[in-house]
Amino acid sequence: MNAPVKIETTLKDWETDQEVRWCPGCGDYAILKAVQRTLPQIGADPANTVFISGIGCSSRFPYYMESYGFHTIHGRAPAVATGVKLANPDLDIWLVTGDGDGLSIGGNHLMHVLRRNVNMQIMLFNNEIYGLTKGQYSPTSREGTKSPSTPLGSYDHPARPAAFALGSGARFVARGFDVSKKLPEVLKAAHAHQGAAFIEIFQNCIVYNKDVFEDFAAPKGAEAQQLWLEHGEPMLFAGGTRGITLDRDKLCLEVVDVVDGDWQAAGVIVHDAANRSIAHMLVEMPFGPFPMALGVLYDDPRPTFETAVIEERAQASAGKEADLARLLGKGQTWTVSGTAQDPV
């Protein structure tokens, strides 16, 4: 497989002439701009880039990117994206889905693209609600969420997208939020990963679930509740005054205070992105007692699905000539003659 050739573009090169049709104030606008800013920085080629989406507010994304794209059907974007990648492994695939599209009707498809490790970036916009179909509760809605489909409050236990991805065998799991200035860095890390890179992006639905992430994802004032993870760096938050340690007796994470910047004395652990066990603990941390873990939680590449398919095809065809007629005539064959009225 040839390495993609980096070219020079600007944000404007990735904008289309289509009117962006999301509700005013929707977090999707910020995510769109973050992606359009990121692609020039990684040298992406519009002629080699494909955005594939399912159904939902987020799935309008391909219309607004000056590249190739498919707006597919509900929940099936991972299946289409897998087919595109196998047909042309050189293409740079970005899959766009939402918490409803990806974790309800599309949950099985999303699971399989992750466990197969198909080389693509998967952006799951999580607003904890069905926005396009007018505010019903979604698989990620919190218990007690009141909506048209749960007027007395939801009693479902919410799915956790990052935990789902890890449990499905994903080799790259990250988190960000719509208005974060650090979101492009998360997208760059996902793109650099060879394999299925899963990014959960918390996104504000201004109409049906306004400010549900305000405690940690507000544009200003929520920094103390954000744990931005960097490989090889201590897990510090709240301006370095607090950190995360590992209770080795109970095998669980705990929050500790850091005095005078001495994080080592406080027992703060250093983030190892390849440590799957710690990644599971980070995605399961309850927000409130703990900060929200953001950035690259897990990154441990392995061979991709399409690489294995290409190798298998090469082995199967080695030393053979393409002969369709011979292939069709191989094995048991019959010659049929006569008519229905006069069969032979």
Side-chain angles (χ1 to χ4, degrees):
M1 184 163 34
N2 297 325
V5 177
K6 294 185 177 182
I7 68 169
E8 292 187 6
T9 60
T10 66
L11 182 151
K12 293 292 183 181
D13 292 320
W14 294 92
E15 294 180 338
T16 70
D17 59 358
Q18 300 296 301
E19 178 187 1
V20 181
R21 301 184 66 181
W22 287 312
C23 300
C26 175
D28 287 355
Y29 286 97
I31 301 172
L32 176 64
K33 286 301 178 186
V35 173
Q36 290 172 336
R37 289 190 183 98
T38 300
L39 293 174
Q41 295 176 25
I42 60 177
D45 182 356
N48 199 58
T49 303
V50 186
F51 283 84
I52 298 174
S53 65
I55 294 295
C57 296
S58 64
S59 292
R60 298 188 61 81
F61 211 90
Y63 296 104
Y64 310 137
M65 297 300 302
E66 190 60 48
S67 66
Y68 291 103
F70 284 100
H71 188 179
T72 70
I73 56 179
H74 207 185
R76 273 62 176 183
V80 174
T82 299
V84 173
K85 190 66 177 179
L86 291 179
N88 188 348
D90 290 336
L91 292 176
D92 188 10
I93 309 294
W94 294 75
L95 193 153
V96 185
T97 186
D99 48 302
D101 179 66
L103 293 176
S104 184
I105 191 171
N108 60 330
H109 294 283
L110 184 57
M111 176 185 72
H112 294 308
V113 78
L114 290 170
R115 72 171 180 83
R116 286 174 174 149
N117 199 35
V118 185
N119 191 13
M120 66 180 71
Q121 296 74 240
I122 303 166
M123 299 187 294
L124 186 144
F125 297 12
N126 182 11
N127 56 19
E128 295 188 0
I129 207 75
Y130 278 104
L132 188 66
T133 48
K134 307 301 181 284
Q136 300 92 331
Y137 85 113
S138 83
T140 59
S141 295
R142 304 173 194 188
E143 293 178 42
T145 296
K146 292 185 178 181
S147 75
S149 55
T150 53
L152 300 180
S154 168
Y155 47 81
D156 272 3
H157 300 299
R160 298 184 180 185
F164 171 88
L166 275 173
S168 298
R171 309 298 297 186
F172 181 101
V173 177
R175 279 187 183 142
F177 60 91
D178 46 16
V179 296
S180 172
K181 294 180 179 179
K182 296 184 179 181
L183 181 57
E185 296 305 314
V186 176
L187 297 174
K188 289 179 192 176
H191 188 266
H193 176 88
Q194 291 298 301
F198 179 87
I199 315 109
E200 177 185 9
I201 305 175
F202 298 105
Q203 176 253 320
N204 186 29
C205 177
I206 195 74
V207 175
Y208 297 111
N209 213 15
K210 184 180 179 181
D211 298 337
V212 71
F213 305 119
E214 192 76 358
D215 290 344
F216 69 86
K220 295 181 180 179
E223 293 82 3
Q225 298 301 317
Q226 300 169 8
L227 171 62
W228 282 99
L229 298 160
E230 291 186 42
H231 179 70
E233 296 295 326
M235 295 186 187
L236 297 170
F237 66 101
T241 62
R242 309 193 80 190
I244 302 295
T245 189
L246 174 64
D247 185 324
R248 287 170 170 78
D249 294 326
K250 297 180 181 178
L251 288 180
C252 64
L253 300 179
E254 292 183 350
V255 174
V256 293
D257 293 322
V258 177
V259 180
D260 297 328
D262 194 349
W263 58 268
Q264 292 171 311
V268 174
I269 58 176
V270 172
H271 182 45
D272 177 5
N275 190 320
R276 192 176 187 85
S277 297
I278 294 295
H280 275 286
M281 295 182 188
L282 288 168
V283 301
E284 295 288 352
M285 287 194 314
F287 179 72
F290 289 87
M292 179 57 67
L294 301 164
V296 179
L297 284 71
Y298 182 61
D299 185 0
D300 187 18
R302 70 175 181 185
T304 64
F305 181 70
E306 69 276 6
T307 300
V309 172
I310 292 169
E311 291 176 353
E312 182 184 58
R313 289 173 180 170
Q315 292 175 3
S317 60
K320 299 177 182 178
E321 293 183 6
D323 188 337
L324 181 60
R326 183 179 178 184
L327 177 64
L328 294 175
K330 184 179 180 181
Q332 294 179 322
T333 60
W334 295 265
T335 300
V336 179
S337 60
T339 64
Q341 291 75 24
D342 184 23
V344 176

